[in-house]
Amino acid sequence: IKEVKKENGDKKIVPKKKKLLKGGAMKKKELKKLVLYLKNGADCPCHQLDNLSNNFLIMGRKVKAQYLLTAIHKWDKKSKEFKKFMKKMKSYECPTFQSVFK
């Protein structure tokens, strides 16, 4: 993570390196300028963000023009649970817009 700031009652998170697992319709241009917000999280004691030199798995969703942070976890390749989760994430087929509303 490059930086974490407080902005208008929210916590603003700017990632340094970005790699998408499930990007949906996100374009490369959006990925380069990616900024995540933790709504009303300016005073949130997020212990994961204490050491910014670690690598993180960050999940979020787009609401209007902003990307909102939904989860953040330390990237730990040694953990069995993390490996199991990543395997499921990579193999899970997200439903498409058309298949959901047919």
Side-chain angles (χ1 to χ4, degrees):
I1 294 178
K2 192 176 191 175
E3 66 178 327
V4 177
K5 289 184 185 177
K6 292 180 182 181
E7 188 175 284
N8 299 327
D10 300 336
K11 195 170 273 193
K12 178 181 173 183
I13 299 164
V14 181
K16 195 183 309 181
K17 287 184 179 179
K18 303 152 205 129
K19 183 178 176 182
L20 285 179
L21 293 177
K22 301 279 181 175
M26 185 181 248
K27 297 177 179 111
K28 284 186 179 183
K29 190 185 264 187
E30 289 177 305
L31 183 62
K32 285 182 180 180
K33 297 178 181 178
L34 182 66
V35 175
L36 295 144
Y37 292 90
L38 182 59
K39 278 290 182 196
N40 302 319
D43 298 319
C44 178
C46 188
H47 301 292
Q48 287 91 339
L49 297 174
D50 289 343
N51 186 359
L52 298 181
S53 64
N54 291 330
N55 292 321
F56 296 96
L57 170 66
I58 298 175
M59 292 182 265
R61 60 188 171 93
K62 188 173 184 176
V63 176
K64 297 181 183 172
Q66 283 188 335
Y67 286 93
L68 299 181
L69 180 75
T70 55
I72 184 167
H73 299 279
K74 185 179 172 216
W75 190 278
D76 185 12
K77 289 184 178 181
K78 295 175 185 173
S79 167
K80 278 187 178 183
E81 288 178 27
F82 186 78
K83 284 181 186 178
K84 196 174 182 180
F85 172 77
M86 290 303 291
K87 192 173 181 180
K88 274 191 178 184
M89 277 295 291
K90 287 180 181 179
S91 65
Y92 180 74
E93 198 62 41
C94 295
T96 59
F97 182 74
Q98 293 82 11
S99 67
V100 172
F101 293 103
K102 278 189 178 181

